[in-house]
Amino acid sequence: MLLSKFPRISLAHLPTPLEHLSRLSDYLGGPQIFIKRDDCTGLGTGGNKTRKLEFLVADALEKGADVLITQGAVQSNHARQTAAAACKVGMTCELIFEKRVRDADELYKSSGNVFLDRIFGANIQEVDKGTDMDVAMHDLAEELRIQGKIPYIIPGGGSNSIGALGYIDCALEFLMQSKSRNIVFNQVIHATGSAGTQAGLVVGIRASNANIPLLGIGVNASKKDQEEKVFRLAKDTAEYIGAPNAVLREHIVANCDYVGSGYGVPTKKMNEAVLLLARLEGLLFDPVYSGKALAGMIDLIQQDKFDKDEN
């Protein structure tokens, strides 16, 4: 299973490190916990979407596009990395933000990723929560075509069959690292939202016959909705690479018990988990995605859902 037939450009610092979190592992009394440092991808301060953008932006360039359009929540990490990628290849970037977080103050709307988006020169528009974001992007694309532009639409989170190739590649990278270090992994746990990361990982692992279980900790949708969304994309992605039977429905598992009161809304367990990791390992997780996944993983470990001698 080769990805070389798909257009790709280099945007990320790869391979990202695979680190042993010895102090967190000891604190919890096992299992042994490792982290795949996809915060170290580099582009626009890094993050997991850069892997997807290597394939998406390459496809845009091949189609002659000069504008990237994408969407997300106001503080979207994906939007920030897309804006940086546009700079890297000489395109402009249009961002559509859904006001997804309730009672957001003015600082939330202008600081952090939004501030960085503006540094990268992106044009930003906000729409109300519940807006059909796909329609909003297609409408904007039509306006740009009338102006003589050639837009390329990237779905939220970069999550389509092209973007998911980035996490097939990540799965292959992870498997090579584990083999070179002679580590047998029993479980992979990650945040799952727009579905592209989980879909790509499960296709990469299953198509490689590695059969390592994956658990996505949900950050937004219900378990049923999240699993169905991931399965649809995983099936499409497997067919796209020519491995149509690689993924079964039973391979897609999400735990959505740690969303709390909504997307982007902090929870007590998330706050505790992020603080614990920072003080034990000097690592900073974000409150929307990795923080909630970390909280879920720690809680499941404390419920003895994993054997103490697992990795």
Side-chain angles (χ1 to χ4, degrees), residues 203-270:
V203 171
I205 285 174
R206 291 292 165 178
S208 300
N209 296 314
N211 300 330
I212 304 171
L214 280 93
L215 173 62
I217 304 292
V219 301
N220 190 16
S222 68
K223 175 180 173 66
K224 178 182 177 182
D225 290 347
Q226 187 64 29
E227 289 183 347
E228 285 302 319
K229 180 166 61 172
V230 173
F231 183 51
R232 285 195 302 271
L233 181 53
K235 281 201 307 180
D236 291 345
T237 303
E239 290 175 4
Y240 186 59
I241 67 166
N245 300 314
V247 179
L248 303 177
R249 176 62 182 83
E250 66 202 51
H251 298 149
I252 309 301
V253 182
N255 182 323
C256 298
D257 296 339
Y258 302 95
V259 175
S261 59
Y263 174 87
V265 181
T267 65
K268 183 173 183 290
K269 286 185 177 180
M270 181 279 296

Side-chain angles (χ1 to χ4, degrees), residues 32-291:
Q32 295 306 304
I33 302 167
F34 294 75
I35 179 171
K36 188 83 170 88
R37 292 291 304 276
D38 273 20
D39 59 316
C40 298
T41 52
L43 179 71
T45 76
N48 72 320
K49 308 306 182 189
T50 299
R51 288 187 185 271
K52 302 177 182 182
L53 289 165
E54 290 200 331
F55 292 92
L56 289 160
V57 175
D59 189 54
L61 289 169
E62 195 168 79
K63 290 177 167 59
D66 53 17
V67 184
L68 298 179
I69 302 173
T70 198
Q71 58 91 358
V74 172
Q75 283 288 346
S76 168
N77 295 316
H78 163 67
R80 181 244 308 153
Q81 289 163 82
T82 303
C87 294
K88 188 81 171 173
V89 298
M91 293 186 186
T92 56
C93 183
E94 299 281 342
L95 304 176
I96 303 177
F97 287 154
E98 181 185 8
K99 293 183 244 183
R100 204 175 293 168
V101 175
R102 299 189 305 270
D103 303 322
D105 59 21
E106 288 305 314
L107 186 62
Y108 176 85
K109 299 174 186 177
S110 61
S111 65
N113 281 333
V114 179
F115 178 70
L116 295 177
D117 296 334
R118 297 193 187 281
I119 286 179
F120 293 133
N123 296 315
I124 298 171
Q125 62 173 281
E126 291 187 11
V127 297
D128 290 334
K129 183 177 180 179
T131 297
D132 188 320
M133 301 299 280
D134 290 334
V135 170
M137 288 195 293
H138 281 92
D139 288 347
L140 176 57
E142 196 55 43
E143 291 176 19
L144 292 169
R145 289 189 190 99
I146 292 170
Q147 298 170 24
K149 303 288 187 180
I150 306 173
Y152 182 89
I153 293 175
I154 296 175
S159 292
N160 60 13
S161 294
I162 297 173
L165 297 175
Y167 270 85
I168 293 177
D169 188 64
C170 180
L172 301 178
E173 186 180 292
F174 163 71
L175 292 172
M176 287 181 64
Q177 288 173 317
S178 60
K179 182 178 180 180
S180 68
R181 292 170 61 174
N182 198 30
I183 303 170
V184 176
F185 281 98
N186 306 97
Q187 183 87 213
V188 173
I189 301 174
H190 58 90
T192 186
S194 61
T197 296
Q198 186 167 11
L201 286 173
V202 73
V203 171
I205 285 174
R206 291 292 165 178
S208 300
N209 296 314
N211 300 330
I212 304 171
L214 280 93
L215 173 62
I217 304 292
V219 301
N220 190 16
S222 68
K223 175 180 173 66
K224 178 182 177 182
D225 290 347
Q226 187 64 29
E227 289 183 347
E228 285 302 319
K229 180 166 61 172
V230 173
F231 183 51
R232 285 195 302 271
L233 181 53
K235 281 201 307 180
D236 291 345
T237 303
E239 290 175 4
Y240 186 59
I241 67 166
N245 300 314
V247 179
L248 303 177
R249 176 62 182 83
E250 66 202 51
H251 298 149
I252 309 301
V253 182
N255 182 323
C256 298
D257 296 339
Y258 302 95
V259 175
S261 59
Y263 174 87
V265 181
T267 65
K268 183 173 183 290
K269 286 185 177 180
M270 181 279 296
N271 287 334
E272 291 171 348
V274 169
L275 187 62
L276 179 69
L277 185 71
R279 295 188 175 176
L280 287 177
E281 300 284 0
L283 289 174
L284 300 174
F285 271 20
D286 81 274
V288 180
Y289 293 94
S290 56

